[in-house]
Amino acid sequence: MASLGFPFLFSQPPSHPSSRPHFLSAAACSAAVAAGGVIAISQITHNQPLNFLLSNFSPFKNNSSPLWGSLSLSDGSAPATESRSGISFPSVLKGSQRLLGIGLRKKAILGLKNIDVYAFGVYANDADLQNILKEKYESLSGSESKGKDLKDELMDKDIRATVRLQIMYGRLSIRSVRSAFEESVGSRLRKFGGSDDKELLSRFTSQFRDEIKIPRGAVIELSREPGYILQTTIDGKEVGSIQSKLLCRSILDLYIGDEPFDRKAKDDVELNLASLLQK
């Protein structure tokens, strides 16, 4: 069975080297994770470009486009690397989910340099995306379709998708993670739900129990499964599942919404989705 592929672009890394963050105490990190953060730029290394080719659609052509390559679901292509952190992400997750964009979550503490808390990758299921694209392509011309439209579809529709977080800061505690999600996810629940949903927020954050360890290199996956079920895994072990369209949308909004953690990563996702419909 032929696999679905699609155009994939990433932003160029900056020409100047990035400064390394100061490492602070666990208490300072906890305060920072709960406090809010600074947007960083998503990048990919020059020696690991990616390009997905979509059947029945021509790839997006642009002489100024950053990086190109090729990938199919079955070819075991090399992972994509966030260039400043060196964190690598598999190009295909769960056998059918494509990497759409990568980014970096940073935190600023008391005016000091930023801490790189984690790198993240945004994935979506091939078949689900294809169904959305067919629906869009039948009603919109290539010039009318926009990446933002498709990104909104990705956030709203029952498409299998995953945000993969790879922890970078070695002193990050599970309490810090829980506190950060209480603030960020809580604000999105209010944004989309119109009021506080403390019970739903508590069900989500309580999955991050005190006994769970998240050392540097730990992987947290937040996956929307069919039926708007948000499944949370830490290092491959499921820690909870919650059925809620509101919660699923709130999680995705953190990474590809109007006020994302990393605006460049969100822009990459929009660009890659828009490329699907280019002739």
Side-chain angles (χ1 to χ4, degrees), residues 78-241:
T81 301
E82 201 287 318
S83 62
R84 290 178 302 169
S85 66
I87 300 295
S88 295
F89 289 86
S91 300
V92 178
L93 196 65
K94 301 183 179 183
S96 62
Q97 292 190 21
R98 297 285 194 172
L99 182 60
L100 290 172
I102 53 178
L104 196 61
R105 176 64 164 141
K106 299 176 78 74
K107 288 288 186 180
I109 300 179
L110 303 176
L112 300 177
K113 289 187 177 180
N114 300 325
I115 288 177
D116 296 335
V117 182
Y118 59 79
F120 65 87
V122 179
Y123 295 78
N125 179 267
D126 268 348
D128 295 344
L129 280 174
Q130 187 177 34
N131 290 335
I132 293 297
L133 286 173
K134 285 181 178 179
E135 183 179 308
K136 284 286 182 180
Y137 191 70
E138 288 173 355
S139 59
L140 297 176
S141 69
S143 62
E144 291 174 326
S145 61
K146 300 289 182 64
K148 186 178 185 301
D149 296 333
L150 290 170
K151 184 263 293 183
D152 290 342
E153 294 284 338
L154 174 59
M155 289 180 59
D156 189 61
K157 295 294 180 64
D158 194 13
I159 297 171
R160 285 164 287 180
T162 297
V163 181
R164 180 183 174 99
L165 318 180
Q166 298 194 205
I167 304 301
M168 297 178 59
Y169 189 70
R171 296 184 177 182
L172 189 65
S173 71
I174 197 69
R175 291 184 181 182
S176 298
V177 173
R178 189 166 57 234
S179 176
F181 278 134
E182 284 175 351
E183 179 181 2
S184 59
V185 177
S187 69
R188 266 56 173 197
L189 290 176
R190 290 190 295 273
K191 173 183 176 180
F192 297 118
S195 62
D196 286 332
D197 194 330
K198 295 181 179 179
E199 190 274 334
L200 179 58
L201 180 61
S202 177
R203 286 174 60 200
F204 172 67
T205 57
S206 66
Q207 297 176 136
F208 300 93
R209 298 181 294 277
D210 287 343
E211 64 268 22
I212 297 175
K213 305 299 182 183
I214 47 170
R216 178 180 173 87
V219 175
I220 300 173
E221 289 184 355
L222 306 170
S223 300
R224 180 176 57 196
E225 300 297 335
Y228 293 102
I229 295 175
L230 183 74
Q231 181 185 79
T232 304
T233 64
I234 299 178
D235 286 334
K237 181 179 179 180
E238 182 178 344
V239 297
S241 294

Side-chain angles (χ1 to χ4, degrees), residues 15-27:
S15 57
H16 57 81
S18 300
S19 299
R20 295 181 63 84
H22 289 300
F23 288 90
L24 296 114
S25 67

